[in-house]
């Protein structure tokens, strides 16, 4: 990925953390979770030496903050991981404006495919996504949810196994600082 694209992704992540795309250095040095995301984004660089250095930094910081997320996972703009103890399988795909809270696990069954997560998805604390499921856009997985089957668009699901309890009227009620379409336009998508 070109550095100009990576910069846009990093700014969109910064927006999710701060509500604006300013104060990069302050956020970078004060917030180790944001710093992890910067390393993750930079590890996708098409400049091999740069990618190699940032993969190393990401792995080292990932152990400290306890986040396992491979740099090869397809991730949209506006990623938000504000806490540690997050494990995401390398076969997963993550849409735009996704939030992963503490103790989230996105796994696969017997080395198979993992979850395909849509846009504007909020995954609450201690939630598990198991296997090759699809999580629809604008969906919310409440705390402690275990999803082993597809989740439709615009649904709030809770429990183990996950059950729909209501429709999402406004995803902004569940997630702060969602990025708008300008980020997609900046990326040419």
């Amino acid at each position: 990925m070109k550095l100009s694209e990576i910069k846009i992704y990093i700014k969109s992540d910064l927006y999710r953390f701060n509500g604006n795309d300013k104060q990069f250095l302050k956020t970078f040095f004060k917030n180790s979770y944001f710093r992890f995301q910067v390393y993750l984004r930079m590890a996708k660089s098409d400049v091999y030496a740069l990618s190699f250095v940032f993969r190393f930094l990401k792995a080292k910081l990932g152990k400290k903050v306890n986040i396992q997320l491979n740099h090869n996972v397809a991730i949209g703009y506006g990623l938000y991981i504000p806490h540690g103890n997050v494990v995401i399988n390398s076969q997963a795909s993550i849409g735009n404006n996704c939030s992963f809270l503490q103790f989230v696990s996105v796994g696969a069954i017997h080395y198979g495919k993992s979850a395909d997560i849509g846009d504007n998805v909020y995954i609450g604390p201690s939630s598990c996504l198991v296997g090759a499921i699809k999580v629809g856009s604008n969906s919310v997985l409440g705390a402690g949810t275990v999803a082993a089957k597809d989740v439709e668009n615009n649904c709030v699901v809770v429990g183990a196994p996950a059950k729909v309890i209501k429709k999402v009227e406004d995803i902004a009620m569940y997630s702060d600082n969602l990025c708008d379409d300008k980020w997609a336009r900046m990326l040419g998508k």
Side-chain angles (χ1 to χ4, degrees):
M1 183 180 301
K2 294 180 180 176
L3 289 177
S4 59
E5 288 179 295
I6 292 171
K7 182 179 176 184
I8 295 168
Y9 281 109
I10 290 171
K11 283 183 136 191
S12 71
D13 295 348
L14 180 61
Y15 182 85
R16 290 296 312 277
F17 275 87
N18 291 343
N20 62 55
D21 59 0
K22 310 289 187 251
Q23 300 178 324
F24 172 82
L25 288 176
K26 180 180 178 184
T27 307
F28 181 82
F29 288 112
K30 282 191 159 196
N31 190 318
S32 55
Y33 302 105
F34 175 70
R35 189 166 51 250
F36 174 85
Q37 288 183 211
V38 171
Y39 294 164
L40 173 70
R41 299 293 192 177
M42 291 298 293
K44 294 178 179 268
S45 172
D46 54 7
V47 178
Y48 179 76
L50 202 57
S51 175
F52 180 80
V53 167
F54 281 101
R55 279 185 283 169
F56 173 77
L57 292 171
K58 180 192 77 66
K60 188 172 179 179
L61 183 57
K63 287 180 183 177
K64 180 180 174 190
V65 297
N66 202 11
I67 298 175
Q68 295 178 26
L69 177 52
N70 190 297
H71 68 280
N72 290 322
V73 172
I75 303 170
Y77 59 80
L79 179 65
Y80 184 60
I81 304 176
H83 308 287
N85 300 307
V86 173
V87 177
I88 300 175
N89 185 283
S90 62
Q91 298 296 313
S93 67
I94 301 169
N96 303 317
N97 285 322
C98 288
S99 302
F100 295 87
L101 273 66
Q102 65 270 23
F103 299 104
V104 167
S105 178
V106 179
I109 299 174
H110 304 295
Y111 305 102
K113 293 287 287 173
S114 190
D116 180 11
I117 301 168
D119 296 338
N120 306 321
V121 174
Y122 173 92
I123 302 174
S126 301
S127 294
C128 297
L129 282 69
V130 183
I133 64 172
K134 291 192 183 309
V135 178
S137 294
N138 303 311
S139 293
V140 174
L141 282 76
T145 298
V146 177
K149 294 184 180 177
D150 291 353
V151 176
E152 293 181 23
N153 292 342
N154 306 305
C155 288
V156 176
V157 297
V158 297
K163 290 188 170 102
V164 176
I165 60 166
K166 68 180 185 177
K167 291 289 187 181
V168 173
E169 301 285 328
D170 180 15
I171 193 65
M173 289 175 45
Y174 302 94
S175 294
D176 292 332
N177 305 326
L178 293 174
C179 298
D180 59 19
D181 293 2
K182 88 173 187 178
W183 301 98
R185 288 191 302 275
M186 288 171 32
L187 289 163
K189 297 183 179 190

